[in-house]
Amino acid sequence: MVADVGYGALVITFLLCFYGIGAAIYGVKKKEQSWVESARHAMLLSLPLLTISALSIINLLVTDQFQVAYVASVTNRSMPTYLRVTALWGGQEGSLILWVWLLSAFASAVMLRDWKRDREFLPWVIIVCLVTLGFFLILIIFVENPFAKMWITETGERVTSIFQPGGSEPFIPVDGNGLNPLLRHPGMIYHPPMLYLGFVSFVIPFAFAIASLVTGRTDDRWIRITRRWTLWAWLFLAIGLILGARWAYDVLGWGGYWGWDAVEIAALMPWLAATPFLHSVMIQEKRGMFKHWNMFLIILTYDLMIFGTFLTRSGVLSSVHAFAQSAIGPLFFAFIVLTLGTSLWLLSRRWQDLKSETRITSLLSRESMFLINNWLFMGILVVSFWGVIFPLLTEALGIVGDTFPSLSHIFTGQKVTVGPIYYERATGPLLAGLLFLMGVAPLSAWRASTARTLGRAIWKPFAVSLVVLVIIIGGGIRHPGALLAFWLCAFVTVVTLYEFWRGMAARRRRSGENYGLALWRLAARNRRRYGGYIIHLGVVLMALGIIGIEIFQTETQGTIAIGKQMSLGEYSFTFDKLDEFDTRDGRNVARAEISVFKNGEFVETLAPRRDFYYESGQRMTIPGLRSTIEDDFYVLLVSWEPISAENATFKAFHNPLVNWLWFGAIIFILGTFVAAWPEREKQYMPIKTDQSIATAST
Amino acid sequence: MKLKLPLVIVFLLLLTLTGTSIASAQDPGPEPTPSEDEVNRIAKNLYCPVCENIPLDVCESAACAQWRDQIREKLVEGWTEEQIYDYFVVQYGERVLAEPPRRGLNWLIYIVPPIALLAGGVLLYRLLRKSTRSTPEENVASTGKVKPESTPQDDKYTSLLEEELKKRQ
């Protein structure tokens, strides 16, 4: 019954999408606002309908309705209620429901804004949102239906279908499979919704961009409307990525947080397109340039977001052959081709209207720095995209070898692995380049910057950063890559703090405010600029953590008896004891206790453990972790002697500086809050007519 | 692991019994030779042939434990690192390598990104050159001169900043 209500709500929403698209188009054609209004109401109505649908699933999940295949696949009787609720995004079908619900919620929020100044955008924003929503509803209703139930036919066959097949009996399993234990970690409970929040919110700026292309209102209005929105989307995506990284570090048991896995990259790619977008829209706002490019970037972000969902949801990553087996892959593929093609076609139609109003006048100006930033980000994006796609290509191109045997030695159809080495080697220099730009760009001026003016601005921070470098060398670090990276971090930090200082001192001298108040007011008056700087500082701190793990991580593995010791660098630990026991929630836990010593002195007792989930047969390795601002000591229990428990194998990692990654992430998030917090809409002074502002603002 | 360990031990015993005579060189002493770190160093660069994108050194499946034991075996037999990689490629295909070997179609993975980056760089450079070369006169004409105030030379900067802040109030 509940399942039927939920399913019915989905179907009605789907029909509503058709109606809304039709009404909006008709309204535009006939110039009748009432039809557009009706389309707007259709968009608004989708939210309560999808809410009913989502609540229906949650109801099924918490009430043990195991006849529903999705419920049986992600819950069981022993799971606590909060986990059953979050099981909404524990599997494919449910997470698609979350996806459409979020889209509907965001689109509805946009519908409620004041459209007085942007009437012409409204129908097109509705159309883009409804087309996207409709596509995902097709996936849910026809391919991945979370409300489908299980039935036993007369021949004893078990089928999954929304309607009862003739002559069949309901099949109700005694218990469900339960949520994958790896997904029961808090990081995994918050990570998918955050990621989806980020993914889905990018639909909105894209919709405005398309509206601007279609209507021919190609000034930067669409950017001004969606600027904050884009920042929030970008933030949620970043939080999703960071939570995912933390989850990997805590649960996956390989001593790191980012493995350049295709699923991770799928989520990273929209972020890699959105970040240069956030930078380069500033050039358009200030100087009226690169309108084509900004359009292209937001289109790219949108389609990479769809592509990311496609990669993780179609099964194409495990094998391209899975792509053909389910309809979901081809559907996604068709949708990406369609949206990308249409968007680029619209862009080409408006090419003339989007000509730059001004030109770049200096190679060292802020706008050219932003362009170089865009270029480096695109470089990282190409590396990532190609690394993900290439194994799929080699596998898919096997068909050429099969068709033309003479070419089969080239097109073997063998899948290859593109591991972290490839990505690290290729992205390392690009990331270093980005750090360098973060140091130089804030000191360059809009429009006119010469080597001399830039040099004069930069020499002081540069000199201070060299002093820091000397101190680091004095500290005994000799690795050239690490020295370069640390120097870059120091340089960016000094420049950024110097920028704060300059602004603060200037205010203070003028107004006589004390330093704290001057800083506060300065940041409050120009939040995007100073929020951006705080984000930069967060990135530098995160870079410290990355450098620590990439360059200085060490590891060792060994089997030791109780009472014996193992060591790694300054650290050593003794194996004190090992207990094996069953828990009430169906786990077998093997928990070792070790005493950790640093330079021979006892510091902490850790308990690395291994959980074995009886029902799913899955294992989870939870590290024993000693975490300080200096380094992490991360110990895994790899294996042990059963029964006697006298010997055990441990793997220990020494991860210097890694905590700065998480700390930096918090600063990063705070900075984005500063930059994105809503304020009343205001008209900025156009820079073109008053150059003085150009030199003093971002 | 709990149940699989005895199996692995039996497997190892079988290997040592039925294997080549060199296998008997394995010392059953307390310190296994080669060390687990040496095995991991090689396992790190090999990917589990049946799982998805997991290197052998962290893979927890029983099959991977056996593959790690194979690496140990080979090291005991005096195989070099390269020989072990080759052996795994012959047995399980190129996907066990952390990176595609540089030959044939695989070259594409290494050359496409640099070419794309270079092409983007050239494009960007030409755009900037074209743009900057044709403007200085216009610029001077419209504003009198190209202002050098972008320097943080304090007082000018201060006044500009204050001006701007005032305008925004």
Side-chain angles (χ1 to χ4, degrees):
Chain A
M1 176 58 200
V2 175
D4 299 331
V5 170
Y7 182 68
L10 281 180
V11 174
I12 297 171
T13 318
F14 182 57
L15 297 175
L16 204 61
C17 286
F18 272 102
Y19 170 75
I21 295 167
I25 292 177
Y26 187 78
V28 172
K29 276 252 184 291
K30 297 280 171 198
K31 295 203 169 54
E32 280 184 38
Q33 197 59 37
S34 55
W35 281 97
V36 178
E37 271 307 299
S38 177
R40 189 169 81 110
H41 291 141
M43 183 81 250
L44 284 168
L45 189 56
S46 71
L47 183 59
L49 283 168
L50 289 175
T51 307
I52 291 174
S53 197
L55 288 177
S56 304
I57 299 190
I58 292 173
N59 178 278
L60 296 169
L61 287 167
V62 297
T63 54
D64 296 327
Q65 304 291 321
F66 296 126
Q67 198 204 343
V68 176
Y70 182 70
V71 175
S73 71
V74 294
T75 60
N76 62 19
R77 291 185 192 280
S78 65
M79 267 166 62
T81 308
Y82 78 96
L83 276 179
R84 288 153 180 260
V85 174
T86 60
L88 173 62
W89 52 87
Q92 172 102 306
E93 298 89 342
S95 62
L96 284 172
I97 292 280
L98 177 67
W99 213 104
V100 289
W101 185 83
L102 285 173
L103 176 55
S104 171
F106 287 159
S108 299
V110 171
M111 290 301 113
L112 294 175
R113 71 182 286 277
D114 177 14
W115 285 90
K116 227 177 290 159
R117 292 166 63 192
D118 320 292
R119 273 279 160 223
E120 67 268 47
F121 285 167
L122 179 59
W124 299 103
V125 170
I126 295 175
I127 290 169
V128 172
C129 291
L130 285 180
V131 166
T132 312
L133 188 65
F135 166 69
F136 277 89
L137 285 171
I138 290 178
L139 292 184
I140 296 173
I141 295 172
F142 298 107
V143 194
E144 300 280 347
N145 195 330
F147 296 107
K149 295 173 203 158
M150 296 185 279
W151 312 90
I152 296 267
T153 61
E154 279 167 332
T155 53
E157 219 180 323
R158 200 203 298 170
V159 292
T160 305
S161 145
I162 187 78
F163 300 111
Q164 185 165 14
S168 65
E169 291 290 318
F171 173 73
I172 304 171
V174 182
D175 200 358
N177 294 330
L179 192 64
N180 182 337
L182 288 173
L183 302 184
R184 298 181 189 186
H185 179 271
M188 254 307 143
I189 290 173
Y190 301 116
H191 157 80
M194 281 295 164
L195 215 53
Y196 279 13
L197 268 176
F199 270 27
V200 174
S201 18
F202 277 117
V203 174
I204 305 299
F206 171 74
F208 275 93
I210 293 298
S212 151
L213 283 178
V214 176
T215 56
R217 185 176 171 189
T218 46
D219 59 356
D220 55 7
R221 181 67 187 155
W222 72 274
I223 287 178
R224 292 194 191 282
I225 297 172
T226 58
R227 190 172 54 199
R228 288 240 145 60
W229 196 283
T230 315
L231 262 178
W232 286 113
W234 182 74
L235 173 66
F236 285 127
L237 195 52
I239 295 178
L241 287 165
I242 291 161
L243 284 174
R246 183 71 218 196
W247 168 77
Y249 193 67
D250 285 348
V251 172
L252 292 188
W254 44 275
Y257 51 86
W258 182 262
W260 290 103
D261 188 77
V263 174
E264 296 168 332
I265 296 171
L268 177 69
M269 283 193 292
W271 193 87
L272 284 176
T275 312
F277 173 77
L278 285 175
H279 287 89
S280 96
V281 288
M282 284 191 258
I283 320 180
Q284 182 167 347
E285 287 177 32
K286 300 281 177 206
R287 306 267 287 127
M289 285 188 284
F290 309 118
K291 298 174 181 176
H292 304 120
W293 180 240
N294 289 330
M295 281 287 174
F296 175 72
L297 280 178
I298 196 67
I299 293 168
L300 191 66
T301 307
Y302 172 83
D303 271 304
L304 282 172
M305 178 270 287
I306 303 280
F307 181 68
T309 317
F310 159 69
L311 280 181
T312 48
R313 291 281 156 230
S314 67
V316 69
L317 289 174
S318 54
S319 160
V320 285
H321 306 301
F323 175 82
Q325 277 157 17
S326 158
I328 200 166
L331 276 172
F332 259 113
F333 195 71
F335 186 70
I336 291 171
V337 170
L338 194 78
T339 50
L340 193 60
T342 313
S343 310
L344 294 180
W345 173 72
L346 284 170
L347 178 58
S348 70
R349 270 188 52 204
R350 293 284 171 207
W351 199 260
Q352 284 306 318
D353 302 343
L354 290 167
K355 279 261 183 287
S356 290
E357 294 156 33
T358 49
R359 285 164 174 278
I360 287 193
T361 46
S362 157
L363 284 173
L364 294 171
S365 62
R366 181 76 63 86
E367 44 272 46
S368 45
M369 299 283 172
F370 276 149
L371 276 189
I372 300 170
N373 145 307
N374 278 233
W375 172 57
L376 293 173
F377 268 108
M378 286 299 113
I380 298 174
L381 181 60
V382 168
V383 169
S384 308
F385 182 80
W386 191 236
V388 170
I389 281 297
F390 189 73
L392 307 181
L393 273 184
T394 54
E395 198 187 353
L397 286 176
I399 197 165
V400 179
D402 292 345
T403 328
F404 308 103
S406 58
L407 293 175
S408 62
H409 64 288
I410 300 175
F411 301 102
T412 52
Q414 263 200 41
K415 195 169 183 166
V416 292
T417 302
V418 179
I421 313 176
Y422 158 82
Y423 296 101
E424 282 160 9
R425 187 176 45 220
T427 56
L430 299 174
L431 291 170
L434 281 173
L435 271 179
F436 183 69
L437 274 184
M438 268 166 61
V440 178
L443 296 175
S444 71
W446 288 101
R447 187 161 189 171
S449 234
T450 62
R452 194 170 348 135
T453 58
L454 190 59
R456 230 186 296 165
I458 241 168
W459 78 267
K460 276 190 233 166
F462 182 77
V464 175
S465 71
L466 285 183
V467 173
V468 176
L469 180 66
V470 169
I471 294 171
I472 293 170
I473 296 174
I477 287 171
R478 292 291 182 273
H479 188 289
L483 287 178
L484 175 68
F486 280 134
W487 171 71
L488 283 168
C489 287
F491 180 51
V492 180
T493 310
V494 174
V495 166
T496 312
L497 294 178
Y498 180 53
E499 278 290 291
F500 273 105
W501 170 256
R502 266 164 56 177
M504 190 169 76
R507 257 198 90 85
R508 198 178 110 84
R509 223 168 315 152
R510 270 300 173 97
S511 60
E513 292 160 350
N514 67 37
Y515 284 109
L517 191 65
L519 180 66
W520 176 258
R521 292 223 169 126
L522 181 79
R525 289 276 148 66
N526 199 346
R527 286 223 308 271
R528 185 152 58 143
R529 181 186 206 194
Y530 290 99
Y533 286 157
I534 297 173
I535 295 173
H536 282 186
L537 287 177
V539 171
V540 166
L541 296 181
M542 291 169 81
L544 289 180
I546 296 169
I547 298 164
I549 246 188
E550 287 293 331
I551 300 178
F552 296 107
Q553 184 182 48
T554 49
E555 62 172 88
T556 186
Q557 183 173 331
T559 307
I560 48 174
I562 284 189
K564 290 281 185 289
Q565 200 168 47
M566 237 174 95
S567 60
L568 173 64
E570 292 177 330
Y571 283 93
S572 60
F573 64 88
T574 53
F575 175 26
D576 299 338
K577 63 171 184 169
L578 187 132
D579 298 315
E580 234 186 303
F581 51 89
D582 285 343
T583 61
R584 279 177 180 210
D585 54 357
R587 282 178 296 156
N588 173 275
V589 176
R591 183 176 177 279
E593 257 178 43
I594 57 172
S595 302
V596 179
F597 301 84
K598 189 176 184 183
N599 295 322
E601 273 184 49
F602 172 79
V603 286
E604 205 171 329
T605 302
L606 295 179
R609 61 172 220 265
R610 168 76 65 84
D611 293 4
F612 178 80
Y613 288 77
Y614 284 113
E615 36 185 57
S616 61
Q618 219 161 358
R619 276 182 285 261
M620 201 156 131
T621 311
I622 310 288
L625 180 61
R626 177 188 146 81
S627 199
T628 64
I629 57 164
E630 190 187 340
D631 54 12
D632 276 16
F633 190 59
Y634 182 108
V635 183
L636 298 166
L637 174 62
V638 177
S639 62
W640 62 95
E641 222 163 69
I643 305 155
S644 73
E646 273 173 3
N647 289 301
T649 305
F650 294 97
K651 193 171 192 178
F653 292 89
H654 180 234
N655 296 335
L657 299 176
V658 71
N659 242 334
W660 290 95
L661 179 66
W662 318 118
F663 183 58
I666 293 169
I667 303 282
F668 178 99
I669 292 165
L670 288 178
T672 319
F673 269 95
V674 171
W677 201 256
E679 58 187 324
R680 66 194 163 79
E681 205 174 337
K682 59 189 173 194
Q683 217 52 53
Y684 280 84
M685 291 289 183
I687 294 304
K688 284 155 280 176
T689 56
D690 184 355
Q691 202 185 7
S692 62
I693 294 170
T695 53
S697 73
T698 305
Chain B
M1 199 73 247
K2 195 166 71 80
L3 291 168
K4 297 291 161 47
L5 199 66
L7 270 180
V8 172
I9 294 165
V10 170
F11 177 77
L12 274 179
L13 274 175
L14 278 176
L15 270 181
T16 39
L17 288 174
T18 59
T20 52
S21 58
I22 311 164
S24 63
Q26 196 182 21
D27 184 18
E31 277 291 299
T33 50
S35 75
E36 295 177 42
D37 282 342
E38 284 170 277
V39 174
N40 274 344
R41 201 168 50 80
I42 293 172
K44 209 186 241 321
N45 297 321
L46 287 170
Y47 275 69
C48 164
V50 293
C51 336
E52 220 171 286
N53 213 21
I54 303 177
L56 273 188
D57 66 325
V58 295
C59 178
E60 293 181 11
S61 74
C64 286
Q66 288 181 14
W67 280 310
R68 282 194 293 273
D69 288 329
Q70 264 186 15
I71 296 174
R72 190 191 321 268
E73 291 289 309
K74 302 295 176 199
L75 283 173
V76 170
E77 291 172 21
W79 288 35
T80 65
E81 215 176 309
E82 287 308 316
Q83 283 173 318
I84 295 175
Y85 294 145
D86 291 345
Y87 168 79
F88 271 85
V89 170
V90 170
Q91 294 282 314
Y92 308 104
E94 285 178 355
R95 67 175 297 188
V96 298
L97 296 176
E99 274 193 305
R102 290 171 169 72
R103 61 164 174 264
L105 207 59
N106 290 343
W107 274 109
L108 284 177
I109 185 86
Y110 299 104
I111 58 171
V112 166
I115 287 178
L117 192 72
L118 212 67
V122 169
L123 214 72
L124 181 68
Y125 180 74
R126 287 181 51 183
L127 177 95
L128 286 175
R129 278 306 294 262
K130 202 180 94 193
S131 188
T132 49
R133 210 184 291 158
S134 57
T135 39
E137 296 82 28
E138 291 171 28
N139 203 19
V140 171
S142 61
T143 59
K145 66 183 175 75
V146 179
K147 293 192 176 182
E149 292 90 313
S150 41
T151 44
Q153 287 317 307
D154 303 294
D155 284 342
K156 248 173 203 166
Y157 178 82
T158 316
S159 56
L160 287 170
L161 187 79
E162 278 309 306
E163 239 171 72
E164 186 211 354
L165 289 172
K166 253 188 242 155
K167 278 177 193 160
R168 299 214 166 165
Q169 269 169 353

